[in-house]
Amino acid sequence: MTEHETRQDTGRSAHREPDAHRNTDAHRTTGADRDPGADAVRDPGRDTAPGTRQDDGDGTDDGAQVSTGKETAGAPEAAIPELVIISGMSGAGRSTAAKCLEDLGWFVVDNLPPALIPTMVELGARSQGNVARIAVVVDVRGRRFFDNLRESLADLDTRGVTRRIVFLESSEDALVRRFESVRRPHPLQGDGRIVDGIAAERELLRELRGDADLVIDTSSLNVHELRAKMDAQFAGDEEPELRATVMSFGFKYGLPVDADLVVDMRFLPNPHWVPELRPFTGRHEEVAAYVLNQPGAKEFLDRYAELLRLIAAGYRREGKRYVTVAVGCTGGKHRSVAMSEKLAARLAAEGVETVVVHRDMGRE
């Protein structure tokens, strides 16, 4: 593991759809062929921007709150999001831990000022359940880090927010090797050496480390092993989720550059040479039936689906969360489209979140 946490992104979404590239015909499948237009993008709605709380003198807080137990009768009670704070030594794997939670469905915010953590939780409570789990990555780039963090934690405790602190630790030797490998200075070394920055950071983090609910020493861990430890703590009994993109394409337009697996459907007869089928695509019932009824088509679908089941299990063990399966034919209109739809349905039936992309359909 050689990453160095220098990201400044303060609002990454926890869940990201696979890239549909320049395709205009992508849709999500749930195990059965259906009209892609049925998959509308869900709009969680617009929440009112947080305002300043006002005290009307009766001792109650009329502003937006996480939950106080004093909600007006009949009003829906705000659900308090689950909160995890990720911190630790620079170079010890904070970014990897954050990415792991992101892949598990958490809303991850990197490098958030500690003073804004209660506000982030409050916004999550207002989301009507759309943001149920929040992970915040904090570090020591600001010298007032601990004062602000302690105040924020005290505020969260007052509101009854359940939170956990994950602390990433590593030995000095391991940290020095990682910083040297990326040729970046330690954020606290100033005019000194890397070891000076590590020592200063370790001293600043001493109290937080003692308060941590989970301490992970990454000195001898690689990225996959750290992911496995995070999965063991936060994935529960569920197997880590795998998301798949099944992409049809035409070989005459070139191979997809982001494909993990490529399969060729040109061993099947081409519906292009059947006049009554030529105008249609592989998503039409007549074309799909023609393709699937060819010798070897159904056998291929069964065996390749079984192979993907084996590969998917290995991907999960290795911490891989996304896979793109590219299915090609000559022009990307008939055979590859029909087989992609059927293959995606098989994956969805296995519990794999699947998106179908027809890259070249309509280009002819």
Side-chain angles (χ1 to χ4, degrees):
M1 185 171 46
T2 61
E3 81 282 12
H4 172 49
E5 293 82 0
T6 59
R7 291 183 296 154
Q8 301 297 320
D9 180 15
T10 61
R12 291 193 296 114
S13 170
H15 179 72
R16 295 174 291 188
E17 292 293 346
D19 187 2
H21 309 284
R22 51 191 171 82
N23 167 75
T24 60
D25 189 16
H27 65 282
R28 190 178 298 279
T29 181
T30 59
D33 296 334
R34 60 186 186 188
D35 185 351
D39 293 296
V41 178
R42 183 175 64 179
D43 183 0
R46 295 182 300 172
D47 297 324
T48 303
T52 302
R53 291 204 174 102
Q54 298 177 352
D55 189 347
D56 57 11
D58 62 358
T60 62
D61 188 352
D62 293 334
Q65 304 180 47
V66 175
S67 178
T68 63
K70 301 179 182 179
E71 289 81 359
T72 304
E77 182 178 351
I80 304 177
E82 185 178 356
L83 174 66
V84 167
I85 297 173
I86 300 174
S87 189
M89 299 296 294
S90 299
R94 293 190 309 244
S95 292
T96 298
K99 290 175 183 177
C100 182
L101 291 184
E102 188 176 51
D103 290 339
L104 291 174
W106 290 67
F107 187 95
V108 178
V109 185
D110 195 3
N111 197 26
L112 183 72
L116 296 181
I117 295 176
T119 302
M120 191 70 244
V121 174
E122 185 174 301
L123 291 175
R126 291 174 175 223
S127 70
Q128 301 178 352
N130 291 316
V131 181
R133 299 182 297 177
I134 298 174
V136 176
V137 183
V138 293
D139 58 34
V140 295
R141 294 172 195 173
R143 287 290 182 164
R144 288 185 53 81
F145 168 82
F146 280 110
D147 290 339
N148 291 335
L149 181 57
R150 282 196 293 268
E151 292 170 4
S152 296
L153 294 180
D155 189 2
L156 294 172
D157 291 339
T158 300
R159 302 183 190 202
V161 177
T162 301
R163 44 83 175 173
R164 286 179 287 175
I165 299 175
V166 176
F167 190 94
L168 282 300
E169 174 67 281
S170 194
S171 68
E172 182 176 289
D173 290 343
L175 294 175
V176 169
R177 286 197 305 271
R178 292 167 189 172
F179 276 103
E180 289 181 342
S181 68
V182 296
R183 299 182 180 180
R184 297 295 300 271
H186 189 281
L188 296 183
Q189 77 179 71
D191 296 331
R193 300 178 302 161
I194 292 177
V195 292
D196 299 325
I198 293 173
E201 184 178 37
R202 200 180 297 280
E203 181 61 30
L204 286 172
L205 290 169
R206 188 180 305 279
E207 184 175 342
L208 180 61
R209 188 186 189 284
D211 293 336
D213 300 283
L214 174 64
V215 177
I216 301 178
D217 188 339
T218 67
S219 302
S220 59
L221 300 181
N222 59 35
V223 173
H224 303 300
E225 291 168 336
L226 176 54
R227 277 184 167 272
K229 284 184 175 291
M230 293 294 294
D231 283 342
Q233 292 292 327
F234 295 98
D237 296 331
E238 299 181 0
E239 195 172 35
E241 183 180 1
L242 178 68
R243 302 184 182 98
T245 297
V246 180
M247 178 188 300
S248 69
F249 72 97
F251 278 98
K252 69 178 181 179
Y253 300 114
L255 289 171
V257 297
D258 59 341
D260 297 296
L261 303 168
V262 177
V263 64
D264 187 355
M265 291 294 101
R266 291 177 295 184
F267 72 93
L268 298 174
N270 193 348
H272 175 81
W273 303 114
V274 181
E276 58 270 25
L277 298 180
R278 183 179 302 174
F280 302 107
T281 72
R283 295 182 63 189
H284 288 79
E285 183 177 350
E286 296 86 351
V287 176
Y290 177 86
V291 172
L292 270 295
N293 286 329
Q294 296 301 319
K298 292 181 180 178
E299 183 180 6
F300 165 82
L301 180 61
D302 292 339
R303 293 191 179 185
Y304 196 66
E306 181 65 29
L307 177 62
L308 288 180
R309 187 179 301 115
L310 178 66
I311 293 173
Y315 280 165
R316 290 188 180 101
R317 287 193 298 270
E318 290 300 308
K320 186 175 176 63
R321 298 288 183 267
Y322 305 95
V323 59
T324 297
V325 181
V327 182
C329 64
T330 302
K333 179 180 179 180
H334 296 113
R335 293 165 291 181
S336 63
V337 172
M339 193 62 71
S340 293
E341 293 283 341
K342 296 299 181 183
L343 191 59
R346 293 287 186 95
L347 289 174
E350 295 289 333
V352 177
E353 184 178 336
T354 307
V355 172
V356 179
V357 177
H358 300 304
R359 191 193 73 174
D360 299 323
M361 192 171 67
R363 290 188 63 174
E364 74 285 347

